[in-house]
Amino acid sequence: DIVMTQGALPNPVPSGESASITCRSSKSLVYKDGKTYLNWFLQRPGQSPQLLTYWTSTRASGVSERFSGSGSGTYFTLKISRVRAEDAGVYYCQQVREYPFTFGSGTKLEIK
Amino acid sequence: EVQLVESGGGLVQPGRSLKLSCAASGFTFSNYGMHWIRQAPTKGLEWVASISPSGGSTYYRDSVKGRFTISRDNAKSTLYLQMDSLRSEDTATYYCATDRLNPYVMDAWGQGASVTVSS
């Protein structure tokens, strides 16, 4: 199985600052079609997960431009610019390069 | 508006069965893959199973293979998860999700159904 390893954040993050979350995979997430199958989700307290980005860097519909995904191969980053109170929650990366799909353990973002 | 509504959760004894449903609306259900993802109390997300749009292909995580069955009724726009031989480690909130944007991109999730396996 592909293991996804997420980094931690120096919580709490002051409102208006930027925050970057790292995610490493144990195997390249590039598929033979050339796409990199890495998704990012945010789960706010008490809510279902919400898709933020897919294919590493494509933002989902309705997601703020403050969220930007980057990376390639086995190393990925989700950057949140000018963090706001509503960004608080747990962020998960997920690989869908192959079954079984796997998630990182989650990175908690707290806002000051 | 896309809606996914799970039902069928509850308290069940170890070794017994339970069947979850996920009623879909707001999109053409038969065109998209569907997935079950679970989250144990205070834990992270764990993919459980996926099914192709036609239902002809199914995929499972090893720990549920042979015990869980994912299926769909496209005429009823409903996804199912039959869970047999339940174990305490299956205790979790179970979410259904769909990938309307692109295959394997879980862009819409339900609110979740709670399953507790305990004697």
Side-chain angles (χ1 to χ4, degrees), chain B residues 57-112:
Chain B
S57 296
T58 57
Y59 309 87
Y60 301 91
R61 66 178 304 103
D62 283 348
S63 61
V64 308
K65 216 171 281 185
R67 300 189 299 123
F68 288 13
T69 303
I70 187 173
S71 63
R72 63 192 297 161
D73 185 334
N74 285 343
K76 294 183 178 179
S77 295
T78 302
L79 173 73
Y80 302 101
L81 185 67
Q82 175 68 45
M83 303 185 291
D84 299 324
S85 304
L86 281 162
R87 306 167 180 168
S88 58
E89 54 264 37
D90 296 319
T91 294
T93 296
Y94 285 74
Y95 297 99
C96 64
T98 185
D99 52 23
R100 297 167 308 127
L101 273 178
N102 285 286
Y104 320 120
V105 179
M106 300 169 192
D107 63 286
W109 296 57
Q111 84 290 349

Side-chain angles (χ1 to χ4, degrees), chain A residues 39 41 43 47-49 51 54-55 92 94 96 99-101 103, chain B residues 39 44-45 47 50 59 95 101-102 104-107 109-111:
Chain A
N39 304 327
F41 297 88
Q43 187 175 32
Q47 295 187 17
S48 303
L51 177 70
Y54 59 97
W55 296 344
Y92 295 93
Q94 178 205 33
V96 290
Y99 291 104
F101 297 157
F103 291 88
Chain B
Q39 186 170 35
L45 301 171
W47 171 79
S50 297
Y59 309 87
Y95 297 99
L101 273 178
N102 285 286
Y104 320 120
V105 179
M106 300 169 192
D107 63 286
W109 296 57
Q111 84 290 349

Side-chain angles (χ1 to χ4, degrees), chain A residues 14-78:
Chain A
S15 180
E17 297 289 303
S18 294
S20 288
I21 304 170
T22 61
C23 174
R24 288 183 186 271
S25 58
S26 61
K27 178 180 175 178
S28 174
L29 301 186
V30 182
Y31 192 59
K32 54 187 176 184
D33 62 3
K35 293 187 176 70
T36 302
Y37 285 85
L38 186 282
N39 304 327
W40 284 99
F41 297 88
L42 162 61
Q43 187 175 32
R44 296 186 175 95
Q47 295 187 17
S48 303
Q50 169 197 356
L51 177 70
L52 296 175
T53 66
Y54 59 97
W55 296 344
T56 301
S57 59
T58 303
R59 258 188 307 275
S61 176
V63 173
S64 170
E65 291 182 354
R66 297 185 299 106
F67 293 88
S68 60
S70 62
S72 62
T74 63
Y75 187 80
F76 307 92
T77 303
L78 178 72

Side-chain angles (χ1 to χ4, degrees), chain B residues 14-28:
Chain B
R16 303 298 290 266
S17 300
L18 204 61
K19 187 171 186 177
L20 301 182
S21 300
C22 169
S25 60
F27 64 104
T28 306

